[in-house]
Amino acid sequence: MRISDLKRGQCGVIKGFFAADLPEKFYEMGLLPGMRVELHSDYWFNDPLYLKMEGCALAIRKAEANQIEVELAE
């Protein structure tokens, strides 16, 4: 499942990435395997997605969210 597949309020744990050439900014923003993220809200046409993770908020494009694999968290 991808971050972009999460529904509003669902949480997931980052498992990995579908693209080998991900922007370095993902790592700089803290999007690392094992990180728990929550889809806080989405905007018109689902772009951008607003994520919450460990006390921080982050907005990413849906195209970028499609490159991040997550597993649903309870």
Side-chain angles (χ1 to χ4, degrees), residues 38-43 48-52 56-60:
E38 175 189 350
L39 180 62
H40 181 66
S41 63
D42 50 2
Y43 295 96
L49 301 177
Y50 181 64
L51 306 173
K52 290 172 85 175
C56 297
L58 177 67
I60 62 172

Side-chain angles (χ1 to χ4, degrees), residues 3 14 17 21-38 48-68:
I3 284 184
I14 297 175
F17 305 100
D21 59 342
L22 284 177
E24 190 174 309
K25 70 178 181 178
F26 278 17
Y27 300 109
E28 293 170 354
M29 292 185 293
L31 293 172
L32 302 169
M35 174 69 66
R36 182 183 172 98
V37 296
E38 175 189 350
L49 301 177
Y50 181 64
L51 306 173
K52 290 172 85 175
M53 51 186 219
E54 292 191 15
C56 297
L58 177 67
I60 62 172
R61 293 182 182 104
K62 189 170 184 179
E64 294 171 334
N66 281 333
Q67 301 301 317
I68 304 170

